[in-house]
Amino acid sequence: MVVESVCIVTVEDDDGHAALIERNLRRAGLSNDMVRLRDGQEALDYFLGPRADTRDTCVLLLDIKMPRVDGVEVLRRLRADARTASLPIIMLTTTDDPREIERCYDLGCNVYITKPVAYEPFVEAIRRLGLFLQVIKVPNGTSPVAQ
Amino acid sequence: MHIRPGSIFSKGLLLISVPVALQLCTVAAILIAQRHAERAEQWSEHSMEVVRLTDRAIATALEGHGAMRGLAVFRDTGIETASRERLRTLPAQLRRLHELVADNPPQQRHLDDTDRALVQYLAWVGRQETSARNGQWDAIDGDLRNLTGKRLIDEVLEHLQEFLAVEQELDDERLAVARSSRAVLHRVIAVFGLMTLPLAVIVAWVYATAIGRRLGTLAGNARAMADGRTLAEPIGGRDEIADLDVVLHQTARRLERSLEAERRDAGELAARAAELARVNAELQYKTQENEIFVYSASHDLRSPLVNLQGFTREIQHGCADLRKELAKQSLPPEARTRIEGLIERDIAESLHFIQTAVTRLSAIIDALLRLSRAGRVEYTLGPIDIEPVVRRVVDALGATIQERQVRVDVGPLPTVCADATALEQIFGNLVGNAVNYLDPARLGHIEIGTATGAAAAPDSGLATVYVRDNGLGIPADHQQKLFVALQRLHGNEVPGEGIGLALVKRVVDRLGGRIWVHSTPGAGSTFSVALPAARVET
């Protein structure tokens, strides 16, 4: 049911958010590998740095407001690089400003999800994200598994 | 009529009077010369008459004397009686001559002499004729021979000839005078006629210098004033042109002063406008800064809230797991009851309060974000009919309205120049408030309509819409704070964040409108929104 080879990379400066995302994804039934990165710079190092190796089987959950390099800049740089141009990127952020959403879609994010404060919609968003990840086509040729 | 010396009118009179005087002189001279000539001619004719009469008298005398000689020669009193009789008319003829030359004493004297000689001659004639009638022919012959008659008549003739000579001389003189008078007349006409031409030239020249050139200077000054150049020196003089020039100079000076004042005012105005623009820009910047701050702050507050909410939920999950674990364990009943009590009551209650607080805080933050966005979002302004907007808003509140049995009346509403979403925000809040703050003690009635007269905004460019309810009303001391963010009059009996009216005010401000409220506690409130009226398309 779950594509085990897909690694879920969460770029999130807030430890609590990161923990909540992971727990709720697990609760929604995902057992994929999960990597936590603390800011945009770490994300750039992870995907574009000299020791970048696992990017082929990754899905990125990207926060926007982060120290050093923010999420929008990470999105822009990853889309500009041929190696990560088709990497699935999901913006997961507290900002629901329509202009910010539009900017992210313009820059090429696949999905934009607003972090809801109300718990139920948040879990629902994470659940849907989990389901989404299960059917997503990843670049290494692994065939997507429908539910 | 009063004629001012030196005025154009007096100058004109002067200019006209010169040729007129000249012409009058010409006419007078002609009249005088003519009269002179006429008189000379009259005198001449008079003299000719005298000469003619004198000639006739001489002829009468000669003819009469011839008849006297015939009488003597033929001794017959019957012949040439008519000629002799005519001798008797000589005194009358002389009297006529006397009358004609009454003004000439020397000629009178000649005539007097003639008269005396004639008296003697006629006395002789009388004697001769008496002798003839008596037949005394010898006496007549004798008298003829000794030439008495001839002597007498010669004397008469001699005097008459003298008289005639003088008169002829006079006649010649008078003819000469008449001729010379004519000549003078012709000369006068010629001279005055010739004088008219140079006079016209002189008059034209005088006009050119006295009026024309001054008028030219005046026109130049007027042009200079119109072009804002410096005026020529004052013309001087005492006529209307000088007056006009003085006025022109005064006007130019006043114009200069008012231009100066205008330049000063314009400079001041520009400085004020720049200051205003600067303050405005600063204010705009500050407002923007505030909104960005509110946006960032609200946003930053959301992150911890996500954690609070999320981990509360996690604890609830934990508690659920704990209960399951507890069920599996074998525990003394009182310990189980205590632990279950802790989980179900103390922890659950605490979590419930945390969740309520978080939900409330979240709502406030969302509202603040909306408020800050109301200041940042770009509006698309256009003519919008308010009525369908209000009907949509009322429809959206339909469930609550039906539930509370509220009567909602929507009157005819104007078309305003606004943004559709903004209008929906405004009336959504106002109608929503009206529904939310109704008095439970009576049936609700909400009325949305167009305000007129004193209830409307005084600015004619604004259309005023009111939202009136018969709800709880707002105490006077709270009405001031009504449009300030996070001010809530009512406690938790009505849900809300205290943002709605602040948002509405912000939106109305941005649309260039005004909002105000009239309210009586216990009776109801009327919110009035004035928005720029849509211009009627022509």
Side-chain angles (χ1 to χ4, degrees):
Chain A
M1 171 171 168
V2 172
V3 183
E4 300 287 348
S5 57
V6 175
C7 168
I8 298 172
V9 180
T10 307
V11 188
E12 174 64 71
D13 62 323
D14 189 304
D15 293 343
H17 287 203
L20 284 172
I21 289 166
E22 191 179 337
R23 284 194 199 186
N24 282 286
L25 285 176
R26 293 272 180 246
R27 194 173 290 125
L30 274 83
S31 55
N32 303 49
D33 288 343
M34 295 203 185
V35 175
R36 156 87 197 287
L37 302 173
R38 296 181 172 278
D39 61 39
Q41 190 54 57
E42 279 188 18
L44 290 177
D45 291 345
Y46 185 83
F47 287 102
L48 305 175
R51 290 189 295 121
D53 50 358
T54 55
R55 61 183 173 273
D56 281 354
T57 53
C58 279
V59 166
L60 190 58
L61 299 184
L62 193 55
D63 189 20
I64 289 182
K65 282 194 115 184
M66 288 183 295
R68 298 210 284 180
V69 180
D70 73 13
V72 175
E73 179 63 14
V74 172
L75 174 65
R76 202 179 60 75
R77 301 256 289 266
L78 290 181
R79 281 290 174 256
D81 195 293
R83 289 169 292 171
T84 52
S86 57
L87 183 74
I89 298 177
I90 294 153
M91 304 306 290
L92 186 61
T93 171
T94 51
T95 306
D96 58 355
D97 187 334
R99 281 179 305 179
E100 195 76 339
I101 296 171
E102 195 182 327
R103 190 150 71 107
C104 288
Y105 276 116
D106 283 350
L107 286 171
C109 83
N110 299 80
V111 183
Y112 188 105
I113 294 175
T114 305
K115 282 182 204 165
V117 172
Y119 188 72
E120 311 304 344
F122 180 60
V123 169
E124 182 55 30
I126 296 294
R127 268 188 61 78
R128 272 192 280 118
L129 183 57
L131 294 175
F132 173 76
L133 284 176
Q134 283 167 32
V135 297
I136 203 158
K137 186 179 187 304
V138 290
N140 68 353
T142 311
S143 53
V145 180
Q147 220 173 310
Chain B
M1 192 172 100
H2 173 73
I3 298 167
R4 199 172 56 144
S7 68
I8 291 182
F9 186 72
S10 65
K11 276 181 185 166
L13 272 185
L14 205 69
L15 283 178
I16 292 166
S17 69
V18 170
V20 166
L22 191 70
Q23 273 168 3
L24 281 177
C25 285
T26 312
V27 170
I30 288 168
L31 283 176
I32 290 166
Q34 199 152 19
R35 188 151 178 77
H36 210 252
E38 269 174 15
R39 187 153 325 143
E41 273 168 19
Q42 270 173 6
W43 277 116
S44 173
E45 272 172 27
H46 179 80
S47 298
M48 276 160 71
E49 172 78 0
V50 170
V51 167
R52 196 175 53 80
L53 287 176
T54 310
D55 279 344
R56 208 175 76 193
I58 288 170
T60 307
L62 285 174
E63 201 184 315
H65 191 65
M68 286 307 292
R69 248 186 299 191
L71 179 77
V73 171
F74 297 106
R75 297 191 174 189
D76 180 2
T77 54
I79 61 164
E80 287 181 303
T81 46
S83 296
R84 276 185 279 117
E85 275 313 303
R86 267 203 292 280
L87 281 175
R88 306 274 192 268
T89 66
L90 274 173
Q93 286 187 34
L94 284 184
R95 268 201 302 285
R96 173 81 187 116
L97 281 173
H98 262 292
E99 285 166 17
L100 283 175
V101 298
D103 58 327
N104 196 336
Q107 288 290 74
Q108 287 280 9
R109 274 198 296 284
H110 280 125
L111 284 179
D112 288 342
D113 291 344
T114 311
D115 282 340
R116 273 193 296 277
L118 186 64
V119 168
Q120 283 182 9
Y121 177 70
L122 287 178
W124 175 77
V125 168
R127 276 195 310 276
Q128 289 289 88
E129 278 177 337
T130 309
S131 299
R133 274 192 301 272
N134 297 335
Q136 297 165 326
W137 301 107
D138 292 337
I140 291 169
D141 281 344
D143 201 276
L144 200 66
R145 242 174 251 114
N146 63 24
L147 296 174
T148 311
K150 181 167 166 49
R151 228 179 27 251
L152 286 171
I153 192 71
D154 278 350
E155 197 176 341
V156 169
L157 287 175
E158 189 182 333
H159 287 301
L160 272 179
Q161 289 294 354
E162 274 173 21
F163 176 80
L164 184 64
V166 170
E167 201 57 46
Q168 264 171 342
E169 208 171 300
L170 261 178
D171 183 40
D172 287 347
E173 271 175 31
R174 282 167 179 170
L175 266 178
V177 166
R179 262 197 303 277
S180 78
S181 288
R182 288 256 170 243
V184 165
L185 181 64
H186 293 155
R187 268 201 299 279
V188 163
I189 290 169
V191 165
F192 280 106
L194 282 176
M195 272 172 74
T196 311
L197 195 68
L199 196 69
V201 173
I202 288 163
V203 164
W205 183 79
V206 166
Y207 178 82
T209 49
I211 310 289
R213 200 177 300 161
R214 291 156 65 79
L215 271 177
T217 314
L218 192 70
N221 275 348
R223 263 197 299 279
M225 193 169 78
D227 299 347
R229 286 182 281 116
T230 312
L231 269 62
E233 287 295 301
I235 293 175
R238 298 192 305 168
D239 59 2
E240 290 90 335
I241 295 176
D243 289 355
L244 254 175
D245 191 54
V246 166
V247 171
L248 266 187
H249 274 84
Q250 283 170 350
T251 311
R253 276 197 295 279
R254 193 169 304 152
L255 204 65
E256 185 66 30
R257 278 200 298 275
S258 59
L259 275 178
E260 185 78 21
E262 202 178 307
R263 274 195 289 275
R264 222 169 30 238
D265 288 354
E268 208 167 302
L269 206 64
R272 290 274 166 85
E275 170 78 6
L276 205 63
R278 193 183 60 73
V279 170
N280 211 6
E282 204 170 290
L283 212 62
Q284 219 161 24
Y285 174 74
K286 286 218 167 130
T287 308
Q288 215 166 24
E289 210 175 40
N290 274 342
E291 273 158 3
I292 288 169
F293 169 76
V294 169
Y295 181 74
S296 310
S298 313
H299 206 267
D300 288 348
L301 286 173
R302 259 189 171 181
S303 270
L305 273 182
V306 170
N307 283 332
L308 269 176
Q309 183 79 335
F311 285 107
T312 310
R313 192 69 185 173
E314 286 302 314
I315 293 170
Q316 283 174 332
H317 278 296
C319 287
D321 292 347
L322 197 60
R323 269 199 303 277
K324 279 182 211 153
E325 283 303 315
L326 200 63
K328 292 177 193 165
Q329 304 298 320
S330 52
L331 284 171
E334 63 268 32
R336 183 182 296 274
T337 310
R338 206 171 58 245
I339 292 170
E340 275 180 355
L342 275 175
I343 295 170
E344 297 299 334
R345 278 196 311 278
D346 297 8
I347 296 178
E349 193 183 37
S350 303
L351 287 178
H352 171 72
F353 280 124
I354 292 173
Q355 268 185 330
T356 310
V358 166
T359 306
R360 167 124 189 78
L361 195 54
S362 168
I364 292 173
I365 289 166
D366 283 350
L368 281 176
L369 277 170
R370 279 202 304 280
L371 181 62
S372 83
R373 198 171 293 150
R376 290 180 300 123
V377 72
E378 300 224 343
Y379 286 157
T380 314
L381 296 181
I384 295 169
D385 187 359
I386 296 184
E387 204 170 316
V389 174
V390 168
R391 293 211 183 273
R392 270 201 301 279
V393 164
V394 172
D395 287 349
L397 292 163
T400 322
I401 289 170
Q402 276 194 331
E403 180 195 321
R404 300 189 190 177
Q405 293 182 297
V406 183
R407 200 177 106 212
V408 180
D409 293 332
V410 181
L413 297 174
T415 298
V416 293
C417 179
D419 174 89
T421 317
L423 275 188
E424 210 139 336
Q425 265 180 315
I426 293 169
F427 290 100
N429 270 286
L430 291 180
V431 178
N433 279 351
V435 172
N436 282 333
Y437 298 101
L438 284 170
D439 193 337
R442 55 177 173 263
L443 278 180
H445 179 207
I446 297 166
E447 190 189 344
I448 301 116
T450 306
T452 51
D459 187 339
S460 62
L462 297 178
T464 307
V465 175
Y466 64 83
V467 178
R468 181 177 298 140
D469 63 63
N470 62 343
L472 298 165
I474 305 151
D477 60 342
H478 200 270
Q479 288 179 15
Q480 297 292 322
K481 299 184 279 185
L482 207 56
F483 299 105
V484 179
L486 303 176
Q487 295 283 334
R488 295 201 70 220
L489 165 63
H490 302 281
N492 287 329
E493 69 263 35
V494 178
E497 297 78 40
I499 287 294
L501 286 177
L503 185 81
V504 168
K505 180 162 166 53
R506 183 78 185 107
V507 172
V508 170
D509 282 349
R510 280 199 62 199
L511 289 175
R514 286 180 51 218
I515 181 166
W516 66 96
V517 64
H518 288 291
S519 184
T520 313
S525 310
T526 302
F527 284 85
S528 303
V529 181
L531 291 168
R535 280 195 197 86
V536 178
E537 298 292 324
T538 51

